[in-house]
Amino acid sequence: MYWIRKAQCLILAMLLLALSACSFSSSVSQQEDDELQERTKLDWYINYSWFTNQWGGDRVTQTISEETGIDVEFVVPQGSEKEKLDALISQGNLPDLITLWWGEPQVQTLIDNGYVLALNELAEMYCPDFFEVAGPEQLEWYTEEDGNIYCYPGSSVAPEDYETGIGIPSNQTFLVRKDMYEALGSPDMTTPEGFCDAVRRAAEMFPEVDGYPMIPIGTHEFNETGCYSFGEYLMNFLAIPFEKDGKIYDRMTDPEYIRWLKVFRELQQEGYLVRDVFLDKRSQMTEKISRGQYFCMLYQYSDMTTAQRSLWDQNPDMAYMAVDGPKNSNGDAPVLSGIGIDGWTVTLISKNCKAPEKAIELMTYMISEEGQKLTLLGKEGMDYTWHGGQAVLTDSTRKLFLHDYTQYVQTVGGDNTYWMLQDSVMQSQWHREYDEAVDQMRKWTTRYSAYTSQYNTRMAYDSEEFQINTDVQYLWAQVLPELLMADSDEEFDQLFADFVRQRDEMGYDKVLAEQTRQMIENKKKLGIS
């Protein structure tokens, strides 16, 4: 009879759960499992205001819920990420799971103040499979002094992965609009003279783009700490060293860096570095990229892939391509920061978590091979099939992927739409076909990508060095636009000298000393000489 069969299934399910709290497969049929298992709903805080995806509307998240019995509601800040996260911490109102950039000072605050649970302890109690699927290098790197692991990274790569030949990319690119660049004769833009000439000629040849003003130079947005494009990205393109004589190098005062900032100052004075660049936020930039308004950009290519695909679908010649950009006086190849052991973001489980056993199960599933295939490729059979060890998209999914990426994200949810626990190295083994719109940019970076995680440092939130560094960053955010909008090189020199003087008076030497100490420790931990 039905009730007897159901009771038997219930006993079987309880035995299975006792043996392994996070088994991802069951001999119980899906229909019976649905009857037995009540869905658990977890709140997941993502510390990025631009993340707008909703759980359950696509095949990836639907499948995760079916496999784990877990539904998720994402919590995303509407305004300032820092203000939202600080408010959640101060109110003691943390969601079940938390994902934020590894370098955010709040990571250590959450750990040091006991606001998050130890993942290793949760795994030992509920989900031993976690230790089977988690990367040993990542576990070691994120082990705290008390022996516990409180967070796990997404997009994390160990130094030895760079020796495998799989081609670890960087996000840092110099991009040009293909048709404009080729109309100019594919000029060399690696020198100040060649760069300026190309920008001037592009502005003259293409004053408008479909009725919109052409913007000669594009950059990341200016924020409260500066601008990535005129900071680390430019320094890396110029191959400015991270260290000298065993100490962290003060890259900001390097003559090559100053030389190129003055190039951009000159172009601004001539009207080629336009006001929009200083004011636009990410959403406005994305809109302009999708119209192809920029001639060239010092930009993170992964931030503009959706707009790039839209351009490519209209006309591949209108899309952007990566080329060699600014170089130092010796013409050295750029040294672009690739993915490192820190990863991009880390995910933690709050002490407030209503179901920590399900939270660790969800994390374990997502970092497993099964979860990585799903988040990258979609649902097997429906979105892709295997041919000769390569994942090949089905015709219907490929059509969405190439020609309606927004609909692909909403329907399939693959291509790491849910990137929080992405394993780039694991995913590389499946040789998924890349779309032509993005592949050139990604491949271009691999020839220059370098391992630089040993230089990543974390200042304790309550330390003197953290406060000094924060104050210096805020000061730089004010000074950088003034430097680029200075009326002369002489004015630039005075502004920069004043900045360095104020920075040194704040005690910046203490920051450099602490960064050097951490660099040495990082090298020991990573086995880098």
Side-chain angles (χ1 to χ4, degrees):
M1 296 179 64
Y2 174 76
W3 68 269
I4 294 177
R5 183 164 58 85
K6 186 171 182 180
Q8 290 172 334
C9 290
L10 178 59
I11 292 170
L12 176 59
M14 291 174 66
L15 287 171
L16 289 170
L17 288 171
L19 290 170
S20 175
C22 67
S23 173
F24 302 135
S25 61
S26 172
S27 60
V28 184
S29 72
Q30 184 62 55
Q31 179 180 352
E32 292 165 336
D33 187 63
D34 287 344
E35 293 172 353
L36 295 169
Q37 186 180 36
E38 183 180 349
R39 289 282 184 92
T40 299
K41 187 172 184 179
L42 298 175
D43 297 324
W44 194 337
Y45 177 76
I46 309 294
N47 197 44
Y48 294 94
S49 58
W50 49 260
F51 184 80
T52 58
N53 300 90
Q54 298 297 318
W55 189 278
D58 53 74
R59 288 196 280 271
V60 167
T61 52
Q62 288 168 4
T63 302
I64 295 174
S65 291
E66 290 167 4
E67 294 291 324
T68 64
I70 299 168
D71 291 318
V72 169
E73 182 172 343
F74 289 119
V75 180
V76 180
Q78 298 301 307
S80 166
E81 287 89 349
K82 180 182 183 302
E83 291 178 6
K84 175 67 174 179
L85 184 56
D86 284 346
L88 290 172
I89 293 173
S90 64
Q91 294 165 7
N93 189 29
L94 291 167
D96 301 304
L97 294 108
I98 305 157
T99 293
L100 64 164
W101 176 50
W102 69 264
E104 295 288 0
Q106 291 93 335
V107 173
Q108 209 60 43
T109 298
L110 291 167
I111 295 171
D112 291 345
N113 289 281
Y115 293 137
V116 291
L117 298 170
L119 302 183
N120 54 298
E121 292 180 352
L122 290 177
E124 288 167 0
M125 286 189 289
Y126 303 115
C127 196
D129 283 357
F130 175 81
F131 298 109
E132 298 298 320
V133 299
E137 298 90 352
Q138 284 72 20
L139 293 179
E140 181 180 358
W141 181 255
Y142 278 102
T143 297
E144 295 289 322
E145 290 183 0
D146 63 2
N148 289 323
I149 304 158
Y150 295 94
C151 59
Y152 193 82
S155 301
S156 170
V157 177
E160 52 266 31
D161 292 321
Y162 277 71
E163 309 302 321
T164 62
I166 61 175
I168 304 295
S170 171
N171 264 333
Q172 300 167 2
T173 46
F174 177 68
L175 305 173
V176 293
R177 207 178 109 162
K178 186 175 184 292
D179 53 355
M180 294 182 182
Y181 182 70
E182 292 178 348
L184 296 172
S186 302
D188 180 356
M189 299 182 69
T190 64
T191 66
E193 298 76 18
F195 189 95
C196 291
D197 180 66
V199 166
R200 290 164 183 151
R201 289 195 295 127
E204 181 179 357
M205 188 177 295
F206 304 99
E208 288 190 350
V209 176
D210 294 333
Y212 294 95
M214 194 275 276
I215 303 173
I217 302 169
T219 71
H220 275 276
E221 68 179 81
F222 284 71
N223 57 31
E224 61 185 10
T225 61
C227 174
Y228 293 142
S229 300
F230 291 117
E232 179 191 353
Y233 291 8
L234 180 57
M235 293 175 184
N236 289 353
F237 269 87
L238 301 178
I240 297 173
F242 288 84
E243 63 172 297
K244 282 189 176 182
D245 302 322
K247 296 181 180 179
I248 285 289
Y249 178 53
D250 186 1
R251 305 177 85 201
M252 194 170 283
T253 57
D254 188 273
E256 295 287 347
Y257 178 57
I258 302 301
R259 174 173 172 252
W260 270 92
L261 282 184
K262 287 183 176 180
V263 170
F264 287 103
R265 184 212 68 78
E266 180 181 345
L267 289 171
Q268 186 283 140
Q269 189 175 27
E270 295 175 9
Y272 299 111
L273 188 63
V274 301
R275 182 176 176 82
D276 289 12
V277 170
F278 298 94
L279 301 176
D280 284 351
K281 297 303 179 185
R282 177 169 171 160
S283 60
Q284 295 165 300
M285 293 173 183
T286 299
E287 186 177 340
K288 290 174 179 177
I289 293 171
S290 67
R291 292 195 290 256
Q293 278 186 258
Y294 299 102
F295 164 58
C296 68
M297 295 186 290
L298 199 56
Y299 208 74
Q300 182 168 257
Y301 84 87
S302 63
D303 278 11
M304 49 83 73
T305 54
T306 300
Q308 168 77 349
R309 289 188 179 103
S310 176
L311 277 173
W312 184 278
D313 199 34
Q314 296 174 53
N315 181 352
D317 288 336
M318 290 174 55
Y320 290 91
M321 60 184 286
V323 298
D324 285 356
K327 289 186 177 181
N328 62 33
S329 300
N330 294 326
D332 295 328
V335 179
L336 306 180
S337 295
I339 306 168
I341 193 70
D342 295 296
W344 173 26
T345 59
V346 291
T347 296
L348 310 92
I349 297 176
S350 161
K351 257 192 176 172
N352 296 347
C353 184
K354 63 181 75 73
E357 71 282 2
K358 300 302 289 184
I360 191 67
E361 177 182 345
L362 177 62
M363 288 184 65
T364 301
Y365 178 85
M366 292 186 72
I367 63 178
S368 71
E369 184 171 306
E370 183 179 354
Q372 290 297 308
K373 286 178 180 175
L374 179 64
T375 53
L376 175 68
L377 302 168
K379 194 171 179 65
E380 185 173 356
M382 186 173 291
D383 295 312
Y384 72 98
T385 55
W386 294 104
H387 292 279
Q390 178 173 324
V392 178
L393 298 182
T394 60
D395 289 343
S396 58
T397 297
R398 181 178 176 81
K399 183 177 180 181
L400 281 178
F401 186 79
L402 294 179
H403 304 297
D404 193 347
Y405 189 75
T406 299
Q407 188 61 39
Y408 167 84
V409 168
Q410 294 173 353
T411 303
V412 180
D415 199 33
N416 291 306
T417 297
Y418 303 96
W419 39 260
M420 292 74 79
L421 292 162
Q422 175 187 357
D423 187 331
S424 311
V425 176
M426 182 188 292
Q427 291 181 353
S428 69
Q429 68 182 302
W430 299 314
H431 305 292
R432 183 197 63 159
E433 53 182 349
Y434 284 88
D435 60 306
E436 295 176 293
V438 176
D439 199 29
Q440 187 273 340
M441 297 186 288
R442 183 190 66 84
K443 285 183 176 177
W444 181 89
T445 69
T446 59
R447 75 186 81 170
Y448 301 126
S449 181
Y451 197 88
T452 60
S453 276
Q454 60 271 35
Y455 305 113
N456 293 342
T457 56
R458 303 177 182 85
M459 304 291 173
Y461 207 27
D462 58 353
S463 68
E464 181 185 13
E465 291 84 1
F466 173 81
Q467 190 57 57
I468 293 171
N469 197 45
T470 300
D471 291 343
V472 169
Q473 288 178 327
Y474 287 162
L475 177 62
W476 176 246
Q478 298 171 28
V479 172
L480 177 59
E482 295 176 359
L483 291 170
L484 295 171
M485 291 188 282
D487 291 331
S488 65
D489 283 351
E490 291 74 21
E491 182 182 349
F492 178 106
D493 290 338
Q494 185 59 57
L495 287 167
F496 193 82
D498 289 344
F499 164 73
V500 172
R501 176 183 53 77
Q502 293 179 66
R503 186 195 68 168
D504 292 347
E505 288 174 355
M506 292 176 181
Y508 193 64
D509 59 319
K510 296 179 181 178
V511 174
L512 294 174
E514 175 60 17
Q515 289 176 336
T516 296
R517 185 193 69 78
Q518 291 192 34
M519 175 194 71
I520 294 170
E521 290 298 314
N522 289 346
K523 285 185 174 184
K524 289 180 182 177
K525 202 170 180 180
L526 292 168
I528 296 175
S529 58

